[in-house]
Amino acid sequence: MMRFLQAVPAIFMICLAAGVMLGTTGLRFWDGFTPGARFFPGWLAGAAVILSLALLLTQWRGTDAGAPDLPDARGTRRVLAAMAGLVVMALLVPTLGMVPAAALFMPFLLLVVLRAALLPSLMTTVIVVVGIEGVFARWLGVPLPAPFFQ
């Protein structure tokens, strides 16, 4: 059972990489002379598979037999709260848009999950949200998900 628990992260990363590759099958790897929309996800998924297979090989050979560092009950609650926040954010992005959803997710993550101080958390949220809007939407012209009511 312990060997399986040690292999779970590598198996999960291989499945995630396969999902990325399957999810980007309709995109072009090259767009003329420049990389297409599938270029970066393809390389990232390939690197994830190579590293995951190296981890599995290392574990299979028995050279890395350390006990897995599983979170305690408090850590598990924090992981589950962060995952729930990400799911809620993913559900809010099509409704509210990327920037407002991020503006709601960040204080939740910083204040509720990480229990950070109020003022630095709010300042971090403002800096990141303004940065997302300023850099990606305004400067680079990336079309971020917008609210459906626009």
Side-chain angles (χ1 to χ4, degrees):
M1 183 65 174
M2 187 62 73
R3 289 182 68 92
F4 176 73
L5 284 177
Q6 290 176 330
V8 167
I11 294 169
F12 175 75
M13 285 303 297
I14 290 170
C15 293
L16 190 63
V20 167
M21 291 308 291
L22 289 174
T24 59
T25 54
L27 302 175
R28 296 176 55 139
F29 197 79
W30 288 103
D31 191 14
F33 292 108
T34 62
R38 192 176 187 198
F39 184 82
F40 182 70
W43 277 100
L44 193 61
V49 168
I50 290 170
L51 291 174
S52 299
L53 289 175
L55 178 60
L56 283 176
L57 178 66
T58 302
Q59 291 171 346
W60 179 69
R61 294 175 120 191
T63 56
D64 185 18
D69 187 18
L70 299 174
D72 58 356
R74 183 173 177 255
T76 302
R77 285 192 301 272
R78 288 173 66 178
V79 168
L80 293 175
M83 287 176 54
L86 285 170
V87 168
V88 169
M89 181 182 170
L91 294 172
L92 288 177
V93 166
T95 306
L96 299 178
M98 178 69 178
V99 174
L104 292 174
F105 172 70
M106 287 201 55
F108 168 76
L109 183 68
L110 293 170
L111 296 171
V112 177
V113 177
L114 298 176
R115 307 246 186 242
L118 178 65
L119 187 59
S121 297
L122 294 178
M123 288 176 50
T124 301
T125 300
V126 168
I127 290 169
V128 169
V129 168
V130 168
I132 290 172
E133 177 69 25
V135 171
F136 290 102
R138 307 286 181 200
W139 183 32
L140 297 175
V142 175
L144 298 175
F148 73 91
F149 52 83
Q150 268 190 350

